[in-house]
Amino acid sequence: MARSARFVVLAATLSLAAVVAAAAVASPAVAKPPSGKGKPTPTATASPTPTATPTPTPTATPTPTPTPTPPGDPLDVIAAVGDSISVSYNTVGFGSYPQYSWSTGTAITSHRVQLQQQTGGSLTAANVAQVGASSAGLATQIAAAAGAGADYLTIEIGANDACTSTVAGMTSTADFESRVRAALAGFSAQRPTADIMVASIPNLYRMWQVSKDKFAARFIWASAGVCQSMLANPLSTTTTDVQRRLAVQARVDAFNAALAAACADTPRCSFDDYAVADYIFTSAHVSTADYFHPSVEGQRVLAEITWPHSPFASG
């Protein structure tokens, strides 16, 4: 989303934002018994032939259904591609904190941790997501993930295709979908037995709603140029600004539909069924470093709500 370079320029002003932020109001299934005849006993007087008591065949013990093994190759490598969300950017301060990543993190119950608990082993993580990445760079990231031998790939992409300086600068839905489809096809070709989980894009309009009334948020959004297509003039209620915000969110909705369609057409791909897009984030889920990226709690929630849609989740 916001590019790290912008924050370097802000080094002199961050202390002011931090002071104000501190004062601001917060928020993964299994026999018939044989019939028999008795033999008559030879005597002078014929006796009735006794009917032999059939010997019942023991009821077969059902064969236990084995626990399904995870699909694909043995699970050794989990890879994350996409934007700053997956590298846990600005989670507890300025910069990337991948240990809190919803996908590959070790400090929260991420997908990686869930899989390690499930398999009883350890996984190698290849987090090649990048701050500021858009769909234009997805194919390159996915090629890197495939090259790292990813057995399970998570994708979170699209926010930066909508978070531009102006509405006119947003990626078209057609371009976004074609890029995602090409990237997914490339990964499937290189890693045909690997599994993919695509997460939807968070509701950017909700990110504006949650923090727009906080002075620290407005200060950082403006001075750092955070997602100006959505966050410019945050308190304005003019028709132009209202329609601008709605247009950005409409584009995000279209991107999410494109992600769902592209994933549905890709072998071994699971979509999160709009779990992230539909989640109502609160202030507790948003970092006070920039009032836009997920906090540690936000990353934890992302892991929690996406895991049930992973191909490795039970039930």
Side-chain angles (χ1 to χ4, degrees), residues 55-189:
T55 302
T57 299
T59 303
T61 303
T63 302
T65 301
T67 302
T69 56
D73 287 338
L75 193 58
D76 296 318
V77 180
I78 177 173
V81 298
D83 55 36
S84 53
I85 293 177
S86 291
V87 294
S88 198
Y89 185 65
N90 284 1
T91 296
V92 294
F94 299 104
S96 298
Y97 297 84
Q99 66 268 35
Y100 296 113
S101 169
W102 68 275
S103 173
T104 63
T106 55
I108 62 170
T109 307
S110 64
H111 284 226
R112 177 186 184 178
V113 170
Q114 289 270 21
L115 289 168
Q116 289 180 160
Q117 292 174 349
Q118 185 181 98
T119 62
S122 62
L123 296 177
T124 297
N127 193 326
V128 296
Q130 296 179 338
V131 176
S134 70
S135 60
L138 186 60
T140 299
Q141 287 189 23
I142 280 186
D151 303 305
Y152 178 43
L153 178 73
T154 68
I155 301 173
E156 172 63 69
I157 196 71
N160 290 315
D161 289 274
C163 275
T164 52
S165 57
T166 65
V167 170
M170 294 190 298
T171 303
S172 71
T173 303
D175 284 348
F176 179 80
E177 183 166 1
S178 65
R179 292 169 180 174
V180 171
R181 285 182 177 276
L184 289 176
F187 183 76
S188 291

Side-chain angles (χ1 to χ4, degrees), residues 27 85 88-92 97 99-102 107-110 279-288 293-306:
S27 77
I85 293 177
S88 198
Y89 185 65
N90 284 1
T91 296
V92 294
Y97 297 84
Q99 66 268 35
Y100 296 113
S101 169
W102 68 275
I108 62 170
T109 307
S110 64
Y279 191 82
I280 306 300
F281 291 96
T282 67
S283 291
H285 304 123
V286 183
S287 169
T288 54
H293 286 88
S295 62
V296 173
E297 178 62 13
Q299 289 284 348
R300 187 196 65 76
V301 166
L302 287 174
E304 179 182 21
I305 64 177
T306 56

Side-chain angles (χ1 to χ4, degrees), residues 193-244:
T193 60
D195 292 279
I196 307 166
M197 211 293 295
V198 176
S200 52
I201 307 161
N203 187 309
L204 298 186
Y205 191 87
R206 179 63 182 166
M207 296 300 101
W208 163 75
Q209 283 183 317
V210 166
S211 301
K212 66 182 176 63
D213 294 322
K214 299 174 181 178
F215 172 78
R218 298 195 302 272
F219 174 78
I220 292 174
W221 291 348
S223 57
V226 180
C227 195
Q228 291 299 281
S229 55
M230 175 64 76
L231 302 178
N233 304 321
L235 293 181
S236 173
T237 58
T238 65
T239 299
T240 297
D241 286 319
V242 169
Q243 292 303 316
R244 169 177 52 80

